[in-house]
Amino acid sequence: MVEQLTVTERDLRRMLDVIDLGRQAGPDEVFPRELMHALAELIPADDVTFQISRPLDREFVAAEEVTEQPVDPGEGWEDVFWRSYWDDEVCSRPQRTGDYDTIWKVSDYRSVRQLHGSPIGEWFRLFGTRSEIIVPFPVRGAEDRRLMLFRATGRDFTERERLLLRMLRPHFIEILRDLERRRAGIPELTSRQLELLRLVADGHSNTQIAHRLFVAEGTVRKHLENIYERLGVTSRTAAVATAFSLTA
């Protein structure tokens, strides 16, 4: 039987709450903790972790976690993690496929029975995890950035919950970019200014941008002047480099 995917008005309101909480992150947070707490209520999870790593170097860069019951995996857990990461296609899916957009679940690849005998099954047993769903972020150099939701008991994550995460993912990406800009001391731009600057970054001329945004070419020039002033730069190239160099 095919699961019917529906999103209610209540879901949409709760999703907006999740997004709004993402704007309140402190400068020391790797990813907004209040957002993660709200997400765990929208999509019930025992643990929500945002992780930045360098898989080719087998090292962690940073992480933020909210969890119901902290688990002490003991010594050697990093070896288990990296062994399961590279020995099992479930963990290293983005690196193997080049797909950093699709949200995936462990159960897309392994049944409960298959999980027990797989490399990732060892990791799951170590942390008392039963199911996981992963939201990948755009790749940035050698860094892998992902948001992971875990359940220790109960049912697997559903297709409806995957749909909610798919709808939220573009907002998560923008929230992370905004947090990184603020952390780097880059002045905040309006959503319209960022939209225009992304078109500049893609190589569009003022005329092309005006057509795409349905505004006069003079309006585009004025927006660019305001962007230059806010960022303290004098050219299109410098504006793009300043606004996006840390937020690919």
Side-chain angles (χ1 to χ4, degrees):
M1 181 177 178
V2 178
E3 179 183 356
Q4 184 175 4
L5 304 183
T6 59
V7 177
T8 66
E9 181 179 351
R10 182 170 181 268
D11 289 329
L12 293 175
R13 291 183 182 278
R14 295 175 70 188
M15 289 168 69
L16 287 174
D17 289 340
V18 170
I19 295 167
D20 287 343
L21 287 169
R23 308 297 181 187
Q24 302 175 22
D28 296 330
E29 295 179 15
V30 179
F31 196 73
R33 292 181 60 82
E34 290 302 317
L35 179 155
M36 296 164 72
H37 278 293
L39 182 61
E41 294 180 0
L42 173 66
I43 300 174
D46 298 305
D47 183 289
V48 180
T49 299
F50 177 79
Q51 175 184 284
I52 303 175
S53 66
R54 297 176 63 90
L56 293 176
D57 298 324
R58 298 186 176 229
E59 66 179 29
F60 297 102
V61 176
E64 197 75 65
E65 180 184 33
V66 296
T67 182
E68 291 285 329
Q69 297 179 334
V71 175
D72 181 6
E75 296 183 3
W77 68 268
E78 288 194 30
D79 290 336
V80 175
F81 176 86
W82 289 117
R83 184 166 63 250
S84 64
Y85 192 98
W86 286 114
D87 289 352
D88 199 308
E89 61 183 339
V90 177
C91 298
S92 52
R93 181 188 185 281
Q95 287 76 30
R96 292 173 185 268
T97 65
D99 179 2
Y100 286 84
D101 297 315
T102 302
I103 295 171
W104 79 97
K105 304 186 293 182
V106 169
S107 58
D108 292 339
Y109 290 84
R110 299 281 185 275
S111 67
V112 174
R113 176 174 295 182
Q114 291 170 334
L115 188 63
H116 288 304
S118 67
I120 194 176
E122 182 181 359
W123 171 257
F124 269 37
R125 288 191 296 275
L126 196 62
F127 280 83
T129 299
R130 180 179 177 85
S131 53
E132 177 186 8
I133 188 167
I134 304 99
V135 181
F137 282 60
V139 64
R140 182 172 64 190
E143 286 186 357
D144 177 277
R145 301 176 294 172
R146 59 180 65 182
L147 184 68
M148 301 168 286
L149 287 76
F150 301 93
R151 284 176 181 161
T153 59
R155 60 178 174 79
D156 189 14
F157 294 95
T158 67
E159 290 305 310
R160 177 179 172 278
E161 289 167 335
R162 184 175 357 215
L163 173 62
L164 296 181
L165 287 171
R166 190 179 301 131
M167 295 171 68
L168 284 167
R169 180 177 177 271
H171 300 284
F172 291 162
I173 292 170
E174 189 53 47
I175 285 168
L176 178 62
R177 286 172 173 163
D178 180 64
L179 179 59
E180 291 177 330
R181 280 192 292 266
R182 286 190 282 124
R183 189 181 295 125
I186 298 173
E188 184 176 357
L189 299 177
T190 67
S191 59
R192 189 62 159 179
Q193 289 171 332
L194 284 170
E195 181 183 18
L196 188 150
L197 202 52
R198 288 196 186 96
L199 291 173
V200 171
D202 289 339
H204 295 289
S205 67
N206 285 4
T207 301
Q208 292 170 326
I209 293 172
H211 289 161
R212 281 177 173 266
L213 299 183
F214 302 102
V215 297
E217 191 170 343
T219 301
V220 173
R221 288 196 296 271
K222 186 61 178 178
H223 275 309
L224 285 173
E225 290 172 5
N226 292 335
I227 290 171
Y228 296 166
E229 181 178 359
R230 182 166 292 191
L231 296 180
V233 299
T234 57
S235 71
R236 299 160 71 93
T237 302
V240 169
T242 300
F244 299 136
S245 61
L246 298 176
T247 57

